[in-house]
Amino acid sequence: MPALSDVTVLDFSTLLPGPLCTLLLAEAGARVIKIERPDGDEMRAYEPKLGTDSVNFTLLNRGKTSLAVDLKDPAQRVRIEQLIAEADVLVEQFRPGVMRRLGLGYDAVARINPRMIYCSITGYGQTGPKAGIAAHDLNYQAQTGMLALSGDAQNQPTIPPTLTADIAGGAYPAVMNILLALRQCETSGEGCHLDIAMADNLFPLMYWGLGNGWQQGQWPRRSAEQVTGGSCRYQIYRTADDRFLAAAPLEDKFWHAFVTRIGMPEVAEQPDSNALREQIADTIRTRSAAEWMQVLAGADTCVCEVVDLQQAVLDPHFVERGVFAQRVGNRQGASMPALPVPIAACLRAHGSARAPALGEHG
């Protein structure tokens, strides 16, 4: 049996953090009921489409059912209260206070079901001066010092390619805390209100910078630290064919193998410096990426070619592991690879599933 086959989740969330959280729970076997407004989750309308709904919606809502409800209508809220009495987990992503004004705040829900695990995912949390501020992933990264550590050739912060706050700061911590709360409820018989703040949860991702700043007063700088571009041992080098190598030979054994293979063994004991970084860059620019990968083949150097997303999906390693083997579809029969999720195979519900049509509640 899937790990969460006895758990029912009410998902009031939209867009990315909440739906990804409940997708992970559904993948582990939970019954997830997506509560949508009468005209549906706005992500259904995004482009591109798979049938009538967006591919984004389809990927994030696989294996769930849907219930279309006007939460401002007291008569329709009766149905929601019946579901609350039977459910184990509630996930919501409104600004602080919205669910309370709808009569569905934690206190009201706990009176109906004292065992409810009530998970609120917001940008800045339920309390604090920023709690009510509208923001998106870029803002959370900007406000936590993360964005300042990125940079281009003009030393300007660059737009991150991933929605780190939504996923690493929102969806994943939400799942972690829901599972912990379910375990606690088994022994205490009581639910709780989980305050998941995406901005708060970005700080662990910068643990090294916090440690250096607190202990040494050396707060990290853009393009100047070991993992932000300031080291020749953790660097991106351009090749002769204008491709790139990601080189991370941090440990001495990898570093020695790297400089030996590229024909620069004499620099192995030299201290890290901008001059050495430029010297290595000049060497890497003399050959194509394919040529360098042949030169480095068979040696442990922690160097690889930078590939695009399409190349990554077709990589024989990920194909063999079945990363994209599952599929997701819709009522019209169209399908595509399902979004891979970090749930171990032995814990998840197997087989293909589809995203629900609006109001499709089984």
Side-chain angles (χ1 to χ4, degrees):
M1 294 291 289
L4 299 181
S5 58
D6 60 343
V7 173
T8 297
V9 180
L10 302 182
D11 181 5
F12 288 79
S13 65
T14 62
L15 302 176
L16 175 55
L20 180 55
C21 163
T22 57
L23 171 64
L24 298 180
L25 299 175
E27 188 74 357
R31 177 193 180 208
V32 177
I33 304 170
K34 185 173 179 63
I35 309 299
E36 300 188 64
R37 63 194 189 191
D39 58 348
D41 184 335
E42 62 184 278
M43 187 175 270
R44 287 183 181 271
Y46 285 16
E47 296 289 345
K49 296 287 185 67
L50 181 74
T52 57
D53 292 321
S54 73
V55 297
N56 286 15
F57 179 89
T58 302
L59 288 172
L60 292 170
N61 292 284
R62 172 180 182 269
K64 306 174 187 178
T65 63
S66 168
L67 190 63
V69 177
D70 180 358
L71 295 177
K72 296 180 180 180
D73 183 343
Q76 294 189 46
R77 245 192 351 261
V78 172
R79 173 59 175 143
I80 295 298
E81 292 173 357
Q82 292 172 341
L83 290 173
I84 287 172
E86 303 166 359
D88 304 285
V89 178
L90 184 154
V91 177
E92 63 95 5
Q93 196 180 295
F94 296 108
R95 288 201 212 183
V98 171
M99 286 288 275
R100 184 179 64 253
R101 290 194 292 275
L102 291 170
L104 296 171
Y106 174 68
D107 291 341
V109 167
R111 283 194 291 271
I112 299 170
N113 182 351
R115 296 176 61 89
M116 179 68 80
I117 308 304
Y118 190 110
C119 180
S120 297
I121 305 174
T122 59
Y124 295 109
Q126 298 296 304
T127 60
K130 289 186 170 74
I133 294 177
H136 279 301
D137 202 288
L138 186 66
N139 306 115
Y140 308 135
Q141 294 196 45
Q143 289 282 284
T144 56
M146 180 175 284
L147 190 62
L149 294 178
S150 70
D152 59 17
Q154 287 71 48
N155 207 29
Q156 175 177 322
T158 54
I159 302 294
T162 58
L163 299 174
T164 308
D166 284 352
I167 298 174
Y172 288 177
V175 171
M176 180 193 312
N177 282 278
I178 287 169
L179 297 179
L180 291 173
L182 286 169
R183 179 69 181 92
Q184 178 176 274
C185 185
E186 289 177 4
T187 56
S188 70
E190 297 179 356
C192 61
H193 186 190
L194 304 175
D195 178 5
I196 306 299
M198 290 184 275
D200 292 359
N201 294 326
L202 288 180
F203 286 109
L205 303 182
M206 298 175 287
Y207 72 95
W208 60 272
L210 294 172
N212 292 350
W214 286 331
Q215 186 62 23
Q216 301 293 331
Q218 297 176 353
W219 293 97
R221 298 160 295 161
R222 181 184 304 121
S223 304
E225 311 303 328
Q226 186 177 66
V227 296
T228 64
S231 171
C232 53
R233 296 193 186 197
Y234 202 86
Q235 194 62 235
I236 298 172
Y237 294 108
R238 184 186 294 269
T239 61
D241 56 344
D242 282 330
R243 298 187 67 82
F244 298 92
L245 298 184
L250 287 170
E251 294 83 359
D252 285 344
K253 62 180 180 179
F254 300 136
W255 172 248
H256 282 259
F258 171 60
V259 296
T260 298
R261 284 295 183 104
I262 67 173
M264 298 177 61
E266 71 280 1
V267 307
E269 303 302 329
Q270 288 187 21
D272 207 332
S273 67
N274 290 337
L276 180 56
R277 185 167 71 247
E278 287 304 318
Q279 189 179 348
I280 294 173
D282 289 341
T283 296
I284 299 300
R285 277 193 291 265
T286 64
R287 300 191 188 190
S288 70
E291 289 173 323
W292 279 122
M293 294 315 298
Q294 288 182 337
V295 168
L296 297 168
D300 286 336
T301 60
C302 298
V303 178
C304 65
E305 185 178 353
V306 177
V307 301
D308 61 30
L309 183 58
Q310 184 179 22
Q311 291 173 297
V313 167
L314 297 175
D315 187 311
H317 173 80
F318 300 121
V319 173
E320 181 180 319
R321 287 183 56 78
V323 174
F324 302 100
Q326 287 184 294
R327 299 191 68 82
V328 61
N330 58 22
R331 286 190 304 174
Q332 292 76 38
S335 70
M336 63 182 174
L339 185 68
V341 294
I343 303 294
C346 62
L347 297 175
R348 66 181 183 233
H350 292 279
S352 298
R354 61 181 177 83
L358 181 61
E360 184 181 21
H361 179 56

Coordinates of all heavy atoms in Angstrom, one line a residue, residues 91-140:
V91 N -4.5 22.3 3.1 CA -3.4 23.2 2.6 C -4.0 24.4 2.0 O -4.9 24.3 1.1 CB -2.5 22.4 1.6 CG1 -1.5 23.3 1.0 CG2 -1.9 21.2 2.2
E92 N -3.6 25.5 2.4 CA -4.1 26.8 1.9 C -2.9 27.8 1.6 O -1.9 27.7 2.3 CB -5.2 27.4 2.7 CG -4.7 27.9 4.1 CD -4.3 29.3 4.2 OE1 -4.5 30.0 3.2 OE2 -3.8 29.7 5.3
Q93 N -3.1 28.7 0.7 CA -2.0 29.5 0.2 C -2.5 31.0 0.1 O -1.9 31.8 -0.6 CB -1.5 29.0 -1.1 CG -0.2 29.5 -1.6 CD 0.2 28.9 -2.9 OE1 0.4 27.7 -2.9 NE2 0.3 29.7 -3.9
F94 N -3.6 31.4 0.8 CA -4.1 32.7 0.7 C -3.2 33.6 1.6 O -2.4 33.2 2.4 CB -5.5 32.8 1.2 CG -6.5 32.1 0.4 CD1 -7.1 30.9 0.8 CD2 -6.8 32.5 -0.9 CE1 -8.0 30.2 0.0 CE2 -7.8 31.9 -1.7 CZ -8.3 30.7 -1.2
R95 N -3.4 34.9 1.4 CA -2.7 35.9 2.4 C -3.2 35.7 3.8 O -4.4 35.2 3.9 CB -2.9 37.3 1.9 CG -2.2 37.7 0.7 CD -2.0 39.2 0.6 NE -2.0 39.7 -0.8 CZ -1.8 40.9 -1.1 NH1 -1.7 41.9 -0.2 NH2 -1.9 41.3 -2.4
P96 N -2.4 36.0 4.8 CA -2.9 35.8 6.2 C -4.2 36.5 6.4 O -4.4 37.6 6.0 CB -1.8 36.4 7.0 CG -0.6 36.2 6.2 CD -1.0 36.4 4.7
G97 N -5.2 35.8 7.0 CA -6.5 36.4 7.3 C -7.6 36.1 6.3 O -8.8 36.2 6.7
V98 N -7.3 35.7 5.1 CA -8.3 35.4 4.1 C -9.2 34.3 4.5 O -10.4 34.3 4.5 CB -7.7 35.2 2.7 CG1 -8.7 34.7 1.7 CG2 -7.0 36.5 2.2
M99 N -8.6 33.1 4.9 CA -9.4 32.0 5.2 C -10.2 32.3 6.5 O -11.4 31.8 6.6 CB -8.5 30.8 5.5 CG -7.9 30.1 4.2 SD -9.1 29.2 3.2 CE -9.1 27.6 4.1
R100 N -9.7 33.0 7.4 CA -10.5 33.4 8.6 C -11.7 34.2 8.2 O -12.8 34.0 8.7 CB -9.6 34.2 9.6 CG -10.3 34.5 10.9 CD -9.4 35.3 11.9 NE -9.1 36.6 11.4 CZ -7.9 36.9 10.9 NH1 -6.9 36.0 10.9 NH2 -7.6 38.1 10.5
R101 N -11.5 35.1 7.3 CA -12.7 35.9 6.8 C -13.7 35.1 6.1 O -14.9 35.4 6.1 CB -12.2 37.1 6.0 CG -11.4 38.2 6.7 CD -11.3 39.4 5.9 NE -10.4 39.3 4.8 CZ -9.1 39.4 4.8 NH1 -8.4 39.6 5.9 NH2 -8.3 39.2 3.7
L102 N -13.3 34.0 5.5 CA -14.2 33.1 4.9 C -14.9 32.1 5.8 O -15.7 31.3 5.4 CB -13.5 32.3 3.8 CG -13.0 33.1 2.5 CD1 -12.1 32.2 1.7 CD2 -14.2 33.6 1.7
G103 N -14.5 32.2 7.1 CA -15.0 31.3 8.1 C -14.3 30.0 8.1 O -14.8 29.0 8.7
L104 N -13.1 29.9 7.5 CA -12.4 28.7 7.4 C -11.0 28.8 8.0 O -10.1 28.1 7.6 CB -12.3 28.2 6.0 CG -13.7 27.9 5.3 CD1 -13.5 27.6 3.8 CD2 -14.3 26.6 6.0
G105 N -10.8 29.7 8.9 CA -9.5 29.9 9.6 C -9.2 28.7 10.5 O -10.1 27.8 10.7
Y106 N -8.0 28.6 11.0 CA -7.6 27.4 11.7 C -8.5 27.2 12.9 O -8.9 26.0 13.2 CB -6.1 27.5 12.2 CG -5.7 26.4 13.1 CD1 -5.6 25.1 12.6 CD2 -5.6 26.6 14.5 CE1 -5.3 24.0 13.5 CE2 -5.2 25.5 15.3 CZ -5.1 24.2 14.8 OH -4.8 23.2 15.6
D107 N -8.8 28.2 13.7 CA -9.7 28.0 14.9 C -11.0 27.4 14.5 O -11.5 26.5 15.2 CB -9.8 29.3 15.6 CG -8.6 29.8 16.3 OD1 -7.6 29.0 16.5 OD2 -8.4 31.0 16.6
A108 N -11.6 27.9 13.4 CA -12.9 27.4 13.0 C -12.8 25.9 12.5 O -13.7 25.1 12.9 CB -13.5 28.3 11.9
V109 N -11.8 25.6 11.8 CA -11.6 24.3 11.3 C -11.3 23.3 12.5 O -11.8 22.2 12.5 CB -10.4 24.3 10.3 CG1 -10.0 22.8 10.0 CG2 -10.9 25.0 9.0
A110 N -10.5 23.8 13.4 CA -10.2 22.9 14.6 C -11.4 22.6 15.4 O -11.4 21.5 16.0 CB -9.1 23.6 15.4
R111 N -12.4 23.5 15.4 CA -13.6 23.2 16.2 C -14.4 22.0 15.5 O -15.0 21.2 16.1 CB -14.5 24.4 16.3 CG -14.0 25.4 17.3 CD -15.0 26.4 17.6 NE -15.2 27.3 16.5 CZ -14.6 28.5 16.3 NH1 -13.6 28.8 17.2 NH2 -14.8 29.2 15.3
I112 N -14.3 22.0 14.2 CA -15.0 20.9 13.4 C -14.2 19.6 13.5 O -14.7 18.5 13.7 CB -15.1 21.3 11.9 CG1 -16.0 22.6 11.8 CG2 -15.7 20.2 11.1 CD1 -16.0 23.2 10.4
N113 N -12.8 19.7 13.4 CA -12.0 18.6 13.3 C -10.7 18.9 14.1 O -9.7 19.4 13.6 CB -11.6 18.2 11.9 CG -10.8 16.9 11.8 OD1 -10.3 16.4 12.8 ND2 -10.6 16.5 10.6
P114 N -10.6 18.5 15.4 CA -9.5 18.9 16.2 C -8.2 18.2 15.8 O -7.1 18.6 16.2 CB -9.9 18.4 17.6 CG -11.4 18.3 17.6 CD -11.7 17.9 16.2
R115 N -8.3 17.1 14.9 CA -7.1 16.4 14.5 C -6.5 17.0 13.2 O -5.5 16.5 12.6 CB -7.4 14.9 14.3 CG -7.8 14.2 15.5 CD -8.2 12.7 15.2 NE -7.1 12.0 14.6 CZ -6.2 11.3 15.3 NH1 -6.3 11.3 16.6 NH2 -5.3 10.7 14.7
M116 N -7.1 18.0 12.7 CA -6.7 18.6 11.4 C -5.3 19.1 11.4 O -5.0 19.9 12.2 CB -7.7 19.7 10.9 CG -7.4 20.3 9.6 SD -7.6 19.1 8.2 CE -9.3 19.2 7.9
I117 N -4.5 18.7 10.4 CA -3.2 19.4 10.2 C -3.5 20.5 9.1 O -3.8 20.2 8.0 CB -2.2 18.4 9.6 CG1 -2.1 17.1 10.5 CG2 -0.9 19.0 9.4 CD1 -1.8 17.4 11.9
Y118 N -3.4 21.7 9.6 CA -3.8 22.9 8.8 C -2.5 23.6 8.4 O -1.8 24.2 9.2 CB -4.6 23.8 9.7 CG -5.3 24.9 9.0 CD1 -6.7 24.9 8.8 CD2 -4.6 26.1 8.5 CE1 -7.4 26.0 8.2 CE2 -5.3 27.1 8.0 CZ -6.7 27.1 7.8 OH -7.3 28.2 7.2
C119 N -2.2 23.5 7.1 CA -0.9 24.0 6.6 C -1.1 25.3 5.8 O -1.8 25.3 4.7 CB -0.2 23.0 5.7 SG 1.4 23.5 5.0
S120 N -0.6 26.4 6.2 CA -0.7 27.7 5.5 C 0.7 28.0 4.9 O 1.7 28.1 5.6 CB -1.1 28.8 6.5 OG -2.4 28.6 7.0
I121 N 0.7 28.2 3.6 CA 1.9 28.5 2.9 C 1.8 30.0 2.4 O 0.9 30.3 1.6 CB 2.1 27.6 1.6 CG1 2.2 26.1 2.1 CG2 3.5 28.0 1.0 CD1 2.2 25.2 0.9
T122 N 2.7 30.8 2.8 CA 2.7 32.2 2.4 C 4.2 32.7 2.2 O 5.1 31.9 2.4 CB 2.1 33.1 3.5 OG1 2.9 33.0 4.7 CG2 0.7 32.8 3.8
G123 N 4.3 33.9 1.6 CA 5.6 34.4 1.3 C 6.4 34.7 2.6 O 7.6 34.3 2.7
Y124 N 5.8 35.5 3.5 CA 6.5 36.0 4.7 C 5.9 35.5 6.0 O 6.4 35.9 7.0 CB 6.5 37.5 4.7 CG 7.2 38.1 3.5 CD1 6.6 38.8 2.5 CD2 8.6 38.1 3.5 CE1 7.3 39.3 1.4 CE2 9.3 38.6 2.4 CZ 8.6 39.3 1.4 OH 9.3 39.8 0.3
G125 N 5.0 34.5 5.9 CA 4.5 34.0 7.2 C 3.2 34.6 7.6 O 2.7 35.6 7.1
Q126 N 2.7 34.1 8.7 CA 1.4 34.6 9.3 C 1.6 35.8 10.1 O 0.6 36.5 10.4 CB 0.7 33.5 10.1 CG 0.4 32.2 9.3 CD -0.7 32.5 8.3 OE1 -1.8 33.0 8.6 NE2 -0.3 32.2 7.0
T127 N 2.8 36.1 10.6 CA 3.0 37.3 11.4 C 4.2 38.1 10.9 O 4.9 37.6 10.0 CB 3.4 36.8 12.9 OG1 4.5 36.0 12.8 CG2 2.2 36.0 13.5
G128 N 4.4 39.3 11.5 CA 5.6 40.1 11.1 C 5.2 41.2 10.2 O 4.1 41.2 9.5
P129 N 6.0 42.3 10.1 CA 5.7 43.4 9.3 C 5.5 43.2 7.8 O 4.7 43.9 7.2 CB 7.0 44.3 9.5 CG 7.6 43.8 10.7 CD 7.3 42.4 10.8
K130 N 6.1 42.1 7.3 CA 5.9 41.8 5.8 C 4.8 40.8 5.6 O 4.5 40.5 4.4 CB 7.2 41.3 5.2 CG 8.3 42.3 5.1 CD 9.5 41.7 4.4 CE 10.6 42.7 4.0 NZ 11.3 43.2 5.2
A131 N 4.1 40.4 6.6 CA 3.1 39.3 6.4 C 2.1 39.6 5.3 O 1.7 38.6 4.6 CB 2.4 39.0 7.7
G132 N 1.6 40.8 5.2 CA 0.5 41.1 4.2 C 1.0 41.6 2.9 O 0.2 42.0 2.0
I133 N 2.3 41.6 2.7 CA 2.9 42.2 1.4 C 2.7 41.2 0.3 O 3.1 40.1 0.4 CB 4.3 42.6 1.6 CG1 4.4 43.8 2.6 CG2 5.0 43.0 0.3 CD1 5.9 44.2 2.9
A134 N 2.3 41.7 -0.9 CA 2.2 40.9 -2.1 C 3.6 40.8 -2.7 O 4.4 41.7 -2.8 CB 1.3 41.6 -3.1
A135 N 4.0 39.5 -3.0 CA 5.3 39.3 -3.6 C 5.3 38.0 -4.3 O 4.4 37.2 -4.2 CB 6.3 39.3 -2.4
H136 N 6.4 37.8 -5.1 CA 6.6 36.5 -5.8 C 8.0 36.0 -5.5 O 8.8 36.6 -4.8 CB 6.4 36.7 -7.3 CG 5.0 36.7 -7.7 ND1 4.2 35.6 -7.5 CD2 4.2 37.6 -8.3 CE1 3.0 35.9 -7.9 NE2 3.0 37.1 -8.5
D137 N 8.4 34.9 -6.1 CA 9.6 34.2 -5.8 C 10.8 35.1 -5.9 O 11.7 35.1 -5.1 CB 9.8 33.1 -6.8 CG 10.8 32.0 -6.4 OD1 12.0 32.3 -6.3 OD2 10.3 30.9 -6.0
L138 N 10.9 36.0 -7.0 CA 12.0 36.9 -7.2 C 12.1 37.8 -6.0 O 13.3 38.2 -5.5 CB 11.8 37.7 -8.4 CG 12.9 38.6 -8.8 CD1 14.2 37.8 -9.2 CD2 12.5 39.5 -10.0
N139 N 11.0 38.3 -5.4 CA 11.0 39.2 -4.2 C 11.6 38.5 -3.0 O 12.4 39.0 -2.2 CB 9.6 39.7 -4.0 CG 9.0 40.3 -5.2 OD1 8.0 39.8 -5.7 ND2 9.5 41.4 -5.6
Y140 N 11.2 37.2 -2.8 CA 11.6 36.5 -1.6 C 13.2 36.3 -1.7 O 13.9 36.4 -0.7 CB 10.9 35.1 -1.5 CG 9.4 35.3 -1.5 CD1 8.6 34.4 -2.3 CD2 8.8 36.3 -0.8 CE1 7.3 34.5 -2.3 CE2 7.4 36.4 -0.9 CZ 6.6 35.5 -1.6 OH 5.3 35.7 -1.7

